[in-house]
Structure formats: structure tokens, C-alpha cells
């Protein structure tokens, strides 16, 4: 308690409530290029984003409405890709954070000055590991996968680990469910079209019957007129 009190007095720690929230790690690959690595904690998005010239820049900003679903939908809409293409876009749960947003931002700012404007692959991995070690209170289910991504022995996209088996299974199940929904919708659509065609054919048949009856009635009237004229 005394250490925390001193930290608050010196401005090293925020006095915001220490609520535990999930920390997310995302990897974005496109055309065999790493587009970004990202850590999100307490709606603070910290990102290493690839630029058109191939260099990477540090990004850090607060996104109060950020969710994993929104992030995935945004990527999918930009790339016109389906959500279960997990080799290209992966987002995982790597732990819990209890720090306040201001403290997470402060850790980012402190670490950022240790790196040059353009950083190597290994330096990106080093930055992510150091940041995670400072903001995580405890590791999550995909912590090891995060460590494998930031392993300095992995220096290219082909060397990066495959998505966690748990995540692949979940996304595969979602893919199958989507296919089943599509099949159900297609069957309903076919049934509606068939029903419409049947109803149309029935209406055509009834119309023809009415026309035939009207034609027969007209012929009967003409015969009566002829008989009347003969009289």
C-alpha cells in the first residue's frame, strides 16, 4: 500500500480504479507481409503498423468503443475477406491488465524512447515483449502463442506460428455454421421461388378457365341471337 501511495504521489501510477480487463494481441498478414502487430488493453490500442515504404511506425491511441468483433469486421471489410481466414488476421487473448489507461499510456511512452524511428523485426518483438511484461497482471490462454510470435528466432512471416488450434477449431466451426445458414437460406429461397411459380401457374390456369367460360358464354349469346334472327 505504501509503495502504491508513493507511486501515485510521484505521478508514476494513476489513482483510477484497478479493474482487471482482458488484454488482446493481434497479428495481421497480407500477401506474405506482416502488416501489423497490435496489443489492446483497457481500450488503449498500441500498434506497430507497416508503412508503404516497408518501415513500421509506433501508434498508440484510445478507442473507447473498441471490441474484437469490430476490429475483425473492419479488417474483413477492407480486405474483402471472410472472417475464418485466420492465417491472415488473428486476434487472441494473452492475459489480464489491472493498470489504468493512463498507466498503460505512460508505459508505452517510456518504452518508445528506447527505439529509433525505424526499427528492425527483432526490435519490434522486443518492444512487444517488454510492453506485455509491464502491463499484464497475469497471462491468458494464448500467452504462449504471443511469446512464439515474439520469439527472436522467428524473423519472417513464414516462420511465425500457426494460429492457436483452439482458435482454428472455433473459426472452422463458425465457417461450417455459416455454410449451413447459407444452405438453409438457399433452400428457403428455392422453395419461395417454386411456390411463387406454382402460384403463378395456378393463377394462369384459373385465368384460362375464366377466359374459356367467358368465351363459351359469348358463343352461347351469339347462338341465341342467330336463333332469334331465324325466327
Amino acid at each position: 500500500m505504501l509503495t502504491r501511495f508513493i507511486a501515485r504521489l510521484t505521478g508514476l501510477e494513476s489513482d483510477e480504479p484497478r479493474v482487471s480487463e482482458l488484454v488482446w494481441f493481434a497479428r495481421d498478414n497480407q500477401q506474405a507481409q506482416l502488416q501489423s502487430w497490435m496489443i489492446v488493453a483497457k481500450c488503449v490500442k498500441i500498434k506497430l503498423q507497416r508503412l508503404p515504404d516497408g518501415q513500421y511506425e509506433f501508434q498508440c491511441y484510445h478507442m473507447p468503443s473498441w471490441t474484437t468483433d469490430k476490429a475483425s469486421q473492419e479488417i474483413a471489410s477492407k480486405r474483402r475477406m471472410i472472417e475464418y481466414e485466420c492465417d491472415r488476421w488473428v486476434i487472441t487473448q494473452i492475459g489480464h491488465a489491472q493498470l489504468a489507461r493512463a498507466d498503460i499510456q505512460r508505459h508505452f511512452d517510456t518504452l518508445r524512447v528506447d527505439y529509433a524511428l525505424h526499427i528492425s523485426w527483432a526490435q519490434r518483438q522486443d518492444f512487444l515483449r517488454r510492453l506485455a511484461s509491464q502491463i499484464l497482471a497475469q497471462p491468458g490462454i494464448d500467452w504462449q502463442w504471443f511469446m512464439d510470435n515474439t520469439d527472436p528466432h522467428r524473423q519472417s512471416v513464414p516462420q511465425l506460428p500457426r494460429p492457436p488450434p483452439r482458435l482454428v477449431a472455433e473459426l472452422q466451426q463458425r465457417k461450417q455454421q455459416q455454410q449451413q445458414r447459407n444452405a438453409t437460406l438457399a433452400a428457403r429461397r428455392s422453395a419461395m421461388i417454386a411456390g411463387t411459380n406454382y402460384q403463378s401457374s395456378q393463377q394462369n390456369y384459373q385465368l384460362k378457365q375464366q377466359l374459356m367460360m367467358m368465351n363459351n358464354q359469348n358463343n352461347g349469346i351469339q347462338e341465341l341471337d342467330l336463333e332469334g334472327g331465324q325466327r
Side-chain angles (χ1 to χ4, degrees):
M1 289 296 294
L2 179 60
T3 302
R4 185 177 299 175
F5 178 70
I6 294 174
R8 289 180 180 176
L9 287 178
T10 56
L12 297 177
E13 184 178 318
S14 170
D15 58 358
E16 295 180 34
R18 298 170 67 86
V19 179
S20 179
E21 291 185 15
L22 291 174
V23 177
W24 301 91
F25 170 67
R27 185 183 77 192
D28 181 16
N29 295 332
Q30 184 184 20
Q31 299 177 351
Q33 293 286 345
L34 178 66
Q35 299 302 312
S36 68
W37 268 323
M38 178 175 70
I39 290 178
V40 182
K42 298 290 185 78
C43 292
V44 177
K45 180 192 286 189
I46 298 170
K47 195 173 185 179
L48 292 170
Q49 178 65 49
R50 187 175 188 269
L51 301 176
D53 62 1
Q55 300 294 336
Y56 289 78
E57 72 172 0
F58 291 93
Q59 297 178 356
C60 180
Y61 38 91
H62 179 219
M63 298 190 66
S65 61
W66 186 92
T67 65
T68 56
D69 288 340
K70 287 182 180 180
S72 298
Q73 290 169 4
E74 180 183 0
I75 290 290
S77 63
K78 288 181 179 179
R79 306 283 174 76
R80 296 182 179 179
M81 71 182 194
I82 44 184
E83 61 180 341
Y84 49 80
E85 292 184 22
C86 54
D87 281 344
R88 296 169 63 181
W89 164 255
V90 192
I91 187 163
T92 58
Q93 179 195 132
I94 62 171
H96 292 77
Q98 293 183 344
L99 295 176
R101 283 192 298 269
D103 299 323
I104 295 173
Q105 176 73 52
R106 190 176 296 110
H107 280 301
F108 168 80
D109 294 337
T110 301
L111 283 176
R112 174 67 186 86
V113 298
D114 291 342
Y115 300 88
L117 180 62
H118 301 308
I119 59 176
S120 66
W121 183 287
Q123 287 174 322
R124 283 174 249 151
Q125 293 172 315
D126 179 68
F127 169 81
L128 291 169
R129 282 198 174 198
R130 291 176 64 190
L131 178 67
S133 68
Q134 292 183 13
I135 67 175
L136 261 66
Q138 61 184 32
I141 55 176
D142 295 317
W143 170 252
Q144 186 55 51
W145 190 76
F146 167 78
M147 295 297 288
D148 290 341
N149 271 270
T150 55
D151 183 346
H153 294 96
R154 300 176 186 267
Q155 293 293 302
S156 65
V157 169
Q159 294 178 349
L160 293 178
R162 290 274 297 163
R166 170 192 59 79
L167 185 60
V168 173
E170 289 176 0
L171 295 178
Q172 185 63 30
Q173 182 180 12
R174 194 179 304 174
K175 174 184 176 181
Q176 293 173 352
Q177 292 173 346
Q178 184 62 49
Q179 290 175 337
Q180 291 175 354
R181 285 194 293 268
N182 292 341
T184 300
L185 289 174
R188 290 179 180 175
R189 192 178 296 111
S190 298
M192 290 178 61
I193 294 174
T196 301
N197 291 339
Y198 175 77
Q199 185 178 8
S200 179
S201 63
Q202 287 294 101
Q203 291 175 344
N204 290 337
Y205 174 77
Q206 293 174 359
L207 180 59
K208 288 181 180 178
Q209 290 295 103
Q210 292 174 358
L211 291 174
M212 289 177 62
M213 290 177 60
M214 293 174 61
N215 188 48
N216 291 336
Q217 290 175 356
N218 289 336
N219 289 338
I221 292 173
Q222 290 177 0
E223 290 178 1
L224 290 174
D225 289 341
L226 289 174
E227 291 177 359
Q230 289 177 353
R231 291 193 188 119

